[in-house]
Amino acid sequence: MLKLAIVKITSCSGCINEILSALLEDDIRANYTLVYFTELVDSIEFREADLAFVEGSVTTRHQEEALKDLRKRVGFIVATGTCALMGGVQSLRAMGDFKPESRGLPLKQESSEIYREPKPLDQVVKVDYALPGCPINADAVKTFLRKYYLGGLPIAIYETVCSECKRRGLPCVLVTKGIPCLGPITLSGCGAICPSFGRGCYGCYGLQFHGLNGGKVLSFAERLRELGLPDLDYRALISAYSYAKYRDLLGGSH
Amino acid sequence: MKKLMLEFKKLLGDPVFLGYKRGSTIPVFDEIRSISELPLEISDVQKPGKYEIVEGFRFRHSHSSPKWYLLPPEQVILTISPSYDAIDSGVSEGRRAVLFGVKPCDLKAIAVLDKILLDKHPVYTAKRRGIVGVVVEECMEPGGTCFCASVNSGPIVESGFDVAYARLDKETLLLKPGSDIGRQVLKSMGLERASSEYTELYKQMVGRAIDSMKRKLPDLERAQRALRGLASSQEFWEEISKKCIGCGNCNYVCPTCFCTEFIDRVGENHAERVATWIGCLTYTYGLVAGGHFRKQLYMRYRHYTLHKFLYYPLQTGGLLGCVGCGRCITWCPIGLDLIENLSRVLKVKNVEA
């Protein structure tokens, strides 16, 4: 039996639902025991775990410290979801006028302890494996948990949504209909859900950043602009889920 | 067309027909169950990064190709039990099939894949051996991104088929046999021999088709020599791949790209090893135990180009990996133009003729 912890920081619990779905499989449940999972298990503390899924991005100093402590007690950390990998949709606040006080947030902490730019996990602790997605895909969790128990890991696939679209034989919505689609610069893993319904990808698995640089992203943005997307929108569109990577490639936008 | 199909059916003992099939969106390569499924009353309009179906009678191809059948996107090559016993090797007999209405470039692509995969790749070999008939539609009006004449793979066919037809106009077919089976089929169709009026028209149309292809490689050997000379110029490849975003679309739509990645899918009661298409433009491709051998995108773009024009000939006994279908240009979301880039190779590297 491997000890499993499911940890949630700033996030929506969408990924946790997918993990739950994976844990409904008999063979997986037989090999893992939950030592920490505040949504399901009545324990607010745990000593150690073999494996932890961490959902969400780091948005306060308190979370950062808790994660550093977690790292000491967990053998293997899986950054879970686009928030944990690239900041997630809450990172949009970095592009706006950030005043936590004015939003009526209950501030026990000093406002300086709340980060304007949510941090991906790897900016805070060493991450052993990454599962992208908003939310992640239960099938990917099942594959991961089964392989991890056998002593292996899934191959990390850094492809774009286009590869899944093409393998499914779907006609490209961008090329055939001129629909702005982020598929060409978005990480694969969803199975090309949006294009299969004739709409453009909106990038929820995050930027496929390997091999991209600012110029390439801008040349793609230029293509989206040609397709009728006004200048202002593409930045929000491209950075919506993966602000941290977007900022690495193009600089901050506030 | 119906007669042609029926004769093949009779002669070859009810094979399945595989070809471009009209669907709710754009035609894809699939099983053809009735003549009405053939894309006979549409044309495609192709430009860099743009594809559209309009009324007409000049359908060339789509993102799909015979590769979708012969070397499918996902090939289950092994299924094992939790105790690691092989349950299924994944390879079954290929169905007896006739390729119907494939294009000269498709045929050339199969010839290329044959050299690399036949009798080596079990899935490909089984399916390929099941192909008992080939009917080719020659291209009297090539598509907007086609350049088959530059790479000697169209717009007409000389060999490797049973029957080839050319649509001189919407109603008139000119057929030619390419094998004994083809001769038998045409004989039992009871067709008249084409008059010189039609054969002359055909020749004119072929000439016009070749001229109409705006994309041309002026001299293949010169281009190859220039590529060899530029192979190690980082600056050149960075410049030429500046807009490429490494999405891999060109790989997947290319009728000769054959690379796969083995992915193990572990289920509750069994596990499968699946050979899955992978593009050499994507980051995963160069990822191996111990590191990565083409980390920068320009290296991957360079490999893609050099493989098509320099390395395939070494693997195939002289055939290029490019058949001039233009799919990589049409289906590139950015609209990058391979031929334009090759022309730049020639400009940069001034090699003697």
Side-chain angles (χ1 to χ4, degrees):
Chain A
M1 279 292 235
L2 292 174
K3 288 180 198 156
L4 175 62
I6 298 172
V7 179
K8 175 179 160 58
I9 45 178
T10 301
S11 56
C12 75
S13 300
C15 294
I16 282 178
N17 284 339
E18 298 291 310
I19 298 172
L20 262 181
S21 158
L23 291 174
L24 294 176
E25 301 280 317
D26 291 338
D27 66 313
I28 293 176
R29 226 174 33 242
N31 296 330
Y32 290 93
T33 177
L34 278 170
V35 294
Y36 180 77
F37 185 7
T38 47
E39 264 124 330
L40 209 64
V41 179
D42 273 342
S43 72
I44 51 165
E45 277 178 358
F46 70 103
R47 197 187 295 272
E48 53 179 29
D50 298 297
L51 177 67
F53 288 103
V54 181
E55 185 206 55
S57 52
V58 187
T59 57
T60 66
R61 192 179 305 280
H62 172 72
Q63 288 176 347
E64 180 160 346
E65 280 155 16
L67 266 182
K68 282 176 178 159
D69 176 52
L70 181 83
R71 180 70 266 189
K72 292 177 200 152
R73 295 182 287 128
V74 172
F76 196 93
I77 289 186
V78 182
T80 306
T82 311
C83 298
L85 294 179
M86 306 184 191
V89 76
Q90 59 266 32
S91 305
L92 277 173
R93 76 187 192 196
M95 295 166 75
D97 190 13
F98 178 65
K99 282 187 195 134
E101 315 81 44
S102 68
R103 305 297 295 270
L105 294 175
L107 287 183
K108 283 182 194 157
Q109 300 121 325
E110 292 295 312
S111 61
S112 65
E113 306 242 305
I114 298 180
Y115 303 150
R116 177 194 190 94
E117 294 191 12
K119 294 181 184 178
L121 291 195
D122 66 355
Q123 284 183 19
V124 174
V125 293
K126 179 177 164 281
V127 167
D128 301 298
Y129 194 76
L131 283 172
C134 188
I136 55 167
N137 180 337
D139 287 336
V141 183
K142 289 176 195 169
T143 299
F144 171 80
L145 286 173
R146 287 183 173 126
K147 286 191 180 174
Y148 186 80
Y149 185 75
L150 292 170
L153 284 176
I155 303 171
I157 300 287
Y158 304 98
E159 285 185 307
T160 61
V161 173
C162 297
S163 39
E164 301 189 301
C165 239
K166 287 293 179 293
R167 285 198 290 260
R168 285 183 67 177
L170 302 171
C172 175
V173 296
L174 190 153
V175 169
T176 65
K177 292 181 187 160
I179 295 173
C181 175
L182 292 187
I185 56 165
T186 298
L187 277 172
S188 60
C190 63
I193 298 172
C194 290
S196 77
F197 290 101
R199 59 179 255 175
C201 162
Y202 56 93
C204 72
Y205 269 59
L207 210 52
Q208 196 302 107
F209 52 93
H210 288 283
L212 289 187
N213 56 33
K216 287 176 191 292
V217 174
L218 287 178
S219 86
F220 182 67
E222 174 60 22
R223 178 83 175 114
L224 295 184
R225 204 186 54 77
E226 278 170 26
L227 296 173
L229 208 64
D231 195 47
L232 192 67
D233 286 353
Y234 82 80
R235 297 178 78 94
L237 188 67
I238 296 178
S239 65
Y241 289 87
S242 30
Y243 175 77
K245 289 291 173 210
Y246 181 86
R247 188 201 50 201
D248 288 351
L249 298 176
L250 285 145
S253 41
H254 50 273
Chain B
M1 207 74 94
K2 195 165 186 173
K3 248 174 161 179
L4 189 60
M5 238 174 166
L6 282 174
E7 287 302 329
F8 267 99
K9 216 168 179 170
K10 246 195 295 183
L11 190 66
L12 297 174
D14 213 10
V16 295
F17 288 86
L18 302 170
Y20 292 99
K21 177 180 178 172
R22 277 199 81 162
S24 54
T25 52
I26 66 177
V28 290
F29 197 82
D30 202 350
E31 186 176 339
I32 305 282
R33 290 201 172 80
S34 104
I35 195 90
S36 63
E37 293 177 343
L38 291 172
L40 298 175
E41 282 156 6
I42 52 172
S43 292
D44 49 69
V45 179
Q46 302 197 34
K47 290 175 193 162
K50 196 163 172 25
Y51 184 98
E52 202 185 344
I53 292 289
V54 295
E55 262 181 54
F57 63 100
R58 294 291 184 212
F59 174 76
R60 291 86 183 193
H61 50 58
S62 64
H63 58 284
S64 190
S65 72
K67 184 171 88 166
W68 254 261
Y69 173 74
L70 292 168
L71 190 71
E74 291 191 350
Q75 311 140 31
V76 178
I77 55 169
L78 184 67
T79 308
I80 59 162
S81 72
S83 53
Y84 296 97
D85 295 318
I87 298 172
D88 185 8
S89 73
V91 180
S92 52
E93 280 280 285
R95 294 193 293 173
R96 280 172 65 79
V98 171
L99 301 179
F100 199 88
V102 295
K103 305 298 153 135
C105 54
D106 291 332
L107 198 61
K108 187 67 172 278
I110 295 171
V112 173
L113 290 178
D114 277 355
K115 293 277 186 192
I116 294 168
L117 302 174
L118 194 59
D119 294 327
K120 298 184 188 91
H121 187 303
V123 175
Y124 180 85
T125 305
K127 293 193 175 226
R128 179 69 180 90
R129 293 283 181 217
I131 304 292
V132 289
V134 177
V135 178
V136 175
E137 176 175 325
E138 297 186 321
C139 288
M140 296 297 100
E141 281 178 41
T145 55
C146 294
F147 58 97
C148 58
S150 290
V151 288
N152 308 317
S153 48
I156 59 169
V157 279
E158 308 287 351
S159 61
F161 61 94
D162 297 302
V163 171
Y165 65 85
R167 298 182 81 182
L168 300 182
D169 57 45
K170 201 172 176 187
E171 311 298 336
T172 318
L173 281 190
L174 187 77
L175 297 104
K176 69 180 180 192
S179 71
D180 287 340
I181 293 175
R183 269 179 284 278
Q184 229 172 308
V185 164
L186 294 194
K187 199 173 160 198
S188 32
M189 284 172 77
L191 295 167
E192 292 170 45
R193 195 170 179 82
S195 67
S196 62
E197 186 193 332
Y198 285 114
T199 53
E200 275 312 309
L201 177 62
Y202 170 71
K203 282 179 197 159
Q204 277 174 25
M205 287 179 82
V206 173
R208 275 208 299 273
I210 294 170
D211 293 339
S212 74
M213 282 185 265
K214 295 281 173 278
R215 283 181 183 71
K216 285 186 189 7
L217 261 186
D219 182 343
L220 197 54
E221 274 181 37
R222 263 185 72 209
Q224 287 173 322
R225 238 178 304 155
L227 283 172
R228 257 180 232 119
L230 282 166
S232 52
S233 167
Q234 177 178 345
E235 196 190 348
F236 173 75
W237 291 103
E238 275 178 349
E239 168 60 26
I240 217 163
S241 64
K242 207 162 81 186
K243 287 187 171 176
C244 175
I245 47 175
C247 62
N249 273 298
C250 48
N251 291 133
Y252 306 113
V253 298
C254 176
T256 71
C257 268
F258 55 83
C259 288
T260 52
E261 173 78 277
F262 289 157
I263 291 171
D264 291 343
R265 288 194 194 132
V266 185
E268 187 167 359
N269 301 312
H270 66 273
E272 289 175 339
R273 175 155 290 179
V274 189
T276 308
W277 285 358
I278 187 107
C280 60
L281 264 304
T282 63
Y283 185 81
T284 307
Y285 187 86
L287 198 58
V288 290
H292 195 293
F293 56 82
R294 280 186 211 114
K295 267 201 158 150
Q296 306 293 320
L297 185 45
Y298 84 86
M299 297 172 182
R300 306 202 281 278
Y301 189 86
R302 174 178 63 189
H303 174 75
Y304 173 72
T305 314
L306 296 185
H307 191 199
K308 292 295 170 202
F309 292 93
L310 294 183
Y311 311 151
Y312 266 83
L314 302 175
Q315 289 174 289
T316 60
L319 298 178
L320 289 179
C322 175
V323 296
C325 66
R327 282 183 180 88
C328 59
I329 301 171
T330 302
W331 297 98
C332 175
I334 302 267
L336 287 187
D337 192 328
L338 180 70
I339 286 293
E340 197 184 299
N341 275 355
L342 284 173
S343 312
R344 278 165 71 191
V345 171
L346 281 173
K347 258 181 232 157
V348 171
K349 197 79 183 174
N350 217 347
V351 283
E352 285 160 35

